[in-house]
Amino acid sequence: ALLMLVNAHFTPKLLAGKRVLITAGATLEMIDPVRGITNLSSGKMGYAIAQAASDMGADVTLVSGITALNPIANAANIKAESAQAMYEAVMSNIMNQDVFIAVAAVADYRPVTQQHEKIKKSTSSLTLELTPNKDILADVASLPNAPFCVGFAAETENLLEYAETKRKAKKLPLIVANLAKEALGSEENSVTLIDKNGAHPIQRASKTEVAKLLLQHIAHML
Amino acid sequence: ALLMLVNAHFTPKLLAGKRVLITAGATLEMIDPVRGITNLSSGKMGYAIAQAASDMGADVTLVSGITALNPIANAANIKAESAQAMYEAVMSNIMNQDVFIAVAAVADYRPVTQQHEKIKKSTSSLTLELTPNKDILADVASLPNAPFCVGFAAETENLLEYAETKRKAKKLPLIVANLAKEALGSEENSVTLIDKNGAHPIQRASKTEVAKLLLQHIAHML
């Protein structure tokens, strides 16, 4: 805790007076009362960004899915476990935000039907019908007075190509591209920032360090 | 750590010389490299049983799926994230065990196909084909020299009826029935032990206390 205070004290206040909304962690889409679809996001990257943004003087709201991490001091911490709950939490807090950083690994799909009782095992196979979830980031970026929107692209192939396609499709000023197997669950990350001027690689570093460099880049673009 | 040593010192050695294999936690069945099907088990009940069994003098092997808990001191800790990995870990360690306690919430189904690359989001719905996993507990209970086998039934309805049906179908001397919403993720649990003599309710208590009472019951049945 002392180290965190020292870090905060010596961090330039590049985001003083800015309101920053960050999503982090994985969502969980329930199939029945005990089972669900989730993903490997640990929440560490999003929490590191929330902490660094707070250290840089921002007023931080952290909307968090499933994670084992502790809440961030000096931030408004909001839990939202499903993609739908996260959509609602973001939309009801997006007014007057200056920056929106969508780090959470939101489920692209949810089961069409959520069973009220536990599905009993049988010896036959089972078919699960999935339907697409709303795209939180695309909808925020389309708002009339949208904040500065930053996306994350965690891919397993064609990283920069997929990330740039995603950036343009969602009309984002900035996207952070990273390889899923290097990012998910790890204490470190290796990312490439992509904006209209091209690709800016950040070499492999702790998620805390990556968070600071990302926020410096954002601060210069505001 | 001191408290744990004191607890271990004053616990009667009811399981001295016994070899006990315990599964705990949730399994994760991958859909693609970043997404999977899991459940709400925290691992706390299984880890509490492993700790209590060790305190009672048993030689404990703990096969653990997904959990945020720390390994148990004085136990052989084995990780097995998928149902198939857990099946193999149990079967390769089951020889010469005296007791097998299957606490893990093993996925009943896994995706028929595991995609090698992340599935890209589209606007259309998606169908996921699932196939049943092998039943670890039933297969262990059917072994020629099967250990004393204990199952867990986490249900959302018809608790005692479903649990007794499961006990008979898998030919178990003992099953532990609990309601999913009272058990999963909680620090406490309220269970009913069911054996050939009928139902033995244990009133709501910490998982540590429930673990001790369960192991005492098992020790008297050996």
Side-chain angles (χ1 to χ4, degrees):
Chain A
L2 180 62
L3 182 63
M4 287 167 64
L5 286 174
V6 172
N7 275 339
H9 183 75
F10 286 105
T11 303
K13 298 291 178 268
L14 288 176
L15 294 173
K18 300 294 183 189
R19 292 169 55 86
V20 180
L21 178 62
I22 298 160
T23 65
T27 64
L28 177 64
E29 307 297 312
M30 299 309 288
I31 297 168
D32 69 16
V34 298
R35 305 178 178 98
I37 298 175
T38 190
N39 60 66
L40 298 181
S41 173
S42 63
K44 288 173 189 165
M45 190 70 242
Y47 274 58
I49 293 169
Q51 183 63 58
S54 175
D55 292 347
M56 290 183 186
D59 179 359
V60 174
T61 300
L62 175 60
V63 175
S64 180
I66 306 285
T67 171
L69 301 173
N70 294 320
I72 300 287
N74 301 321
N77 291 269
I78 300 171
K79 293 295 288 180
E81 296 205 337
S82 70
Q84 287 175 297
M86 189 170 277
Y87 188 95
E88 286 160 24
V90 168
M91 288 305 171
S92 61
N93 286 279
I94 200 66
M95 283 284 290
N96 304 317
Q97 296 289 345
D98 299 295
V99 179
F100 175 55
I101 311 179
V103 194
V106 181
D108 288 334
Y109 297 90
R110 68 175 182 280
V112 171
T113 307
Q114 188 179 320
Q115 302 296 328
H116 291 293
E117 303 294 347
K118 184 179 173 184
I119 300 167
K120 301 303 290 179
K121 186 177 186 176
S122 76
T123 52
S124 57
S125 57
L126 194 73
T127 300
L128 201 57
E129 296 289 342
L130 305 175
T131 187
N133 280 318
K134 283 197 274 194
D135 189 321
I136 302 174
L137 178 56
D139 283 8
V140 169
S142 303
L143 289 173
N145 294 302
F148 184 89
C149 286
V150 182
F152 268 70
E155 306 292 348
T156 57
E157 56 180 345
N158 308 327
L159 177 60
L160 298 187
E161 178 195 335
Y162 280 165
E164 177 63 0
T165 302
K166 188 170 173 181
R167 187 181 81 81
K168 286 188 169 160
K170 301 192 186 189
K171 299 185 175 62
L172 309 176
L174 181 63
I175 198 162
V176 184
N178 52 189
L179 283 168
K181 71 172 185 294
E182 293 187 6
L184 297 177
S186 174
E187 299 296 331
E188 296 187 323
N189 202 357
S190 170
V191 309
T192 301
L193 310 186
I194 306 177
D195 58 23
K196 65 177 176 358
N197 297 319
H200 314 274
I202 293 180
Q203 67 181 39
R204 188 164 185 82
S206 71
K207 288 186 173 177
T208 299
E209 194 57 35
V210 170
K212 286 181 191 167
L213 294 169
L214 167 62
L215 290 167
Q216 285 169 15
H217 194 95
I218 292 170
H220 290 131
M221 289 181 77
L222 292 181
Chain B
L2 180 60
L3 182 63
M4 287 167 63
L5 286 174
V6 172
N7 275 339
H9 183 74
F10 287 105
T11 303
K13 298 291 179 265
L14 289 175
L15 294 172
K18 299 294 181 188
R19 293 170 55 86
V20 179
L21 178 62
I22 298 160
T23 64
T27 64
L28 177 64
E29 306 298 312
M30 298 311 286
I31 298 168
D32 68 17
V34 298
R35 306 177 177 99
I37 297 176
T38 190
N39 60 68
L40 298 180
S41 173
S42 63
K44 288 174 190 165
M45 190 70 242
Y47 274 57
I49 293 169
Q51 183 64 58
S54 175
D55 292 349
M56 290 182 185
D59 179 357
V60 174
T61 301
L62 176 60
V63 175
S64 181
I66 306 285
T67 171
L69 301 173
N70 294 321
I72 300 288
N74 300 321
N77 292 269
I78 301 170
K79 293 295 287 181
E81 297 206 336
S82 70
Q84 286 174 299
M86 189 169 280
Y87 187 95
E88 287 161 24
V90 168
M91 288 305 171
S92 62
N93 286 279
I94 201 66
M95 282 285 288
N96 304 318
Q97 296 289 345
D98 298 296
V99 179
F100 175 55
I101 311 178
V103 194
V106 181
D108 288 333
Y109 297 89
R110 68 176 182 279
V112 171
T113 308
Q114 188 177 320
Q115 302 296 330
H116 292 294
E117 302 295 346
K118 184 180 174 185
I119 300 167
K120 301 304 289 178
K121 186 178 186 176
S122 76
T123 52
S124 57
S125 58
L126 193 73
T127 301
L128 201 57
E129 297 288 343
L130 305 175
T131 186
N133 280 318
K134 283 197 273 192
D135 189 320
I136 302 174
L137 177 57
D139 283 7
V140 170
S142 304
L143 289 173
N145 294 302
F148 183 89
C149 286
V150 182
F152 267 71
E155 306 292 348
T156 57
E157 56 180 346
N158 308 328
L159 176 60
L160 299 187
E161 179 194 332
Y162 279 166
E164 176 64 358
T165 302
K166 189 170 172 180
R167 187 181 81 81
K168 285 186 171 163
K170 301 192 187 188
K171 300 185 175 62
L172 309 175
L174 180 64
I175 198 163
V176 183
N178 51 189
L179 283 168
K181 71 173 186 295
E182 293 188 7
L184 297 177
S186 174
E187 299 296 331
E188 296 187 323
N189 202 356
S190 170
V191 310
T192 300
L193 310 186
I194 306 178
D195 58 23
K196 67 177 177 352
N197 297 318
H200 313 273
I202 293 179
Q203 67 181 42
R204 190 165 183 83
S206 71
K207 288 185 173 177
T208 298
E209 193 57 34
V210 170
K212 285 180 192 169
L213 294 170
L214 167 62
L215 290 167
Q216 285 169 16
H217 194 96
I218 292 170
H220 290 129
M221 288 180 78
L222 292 181

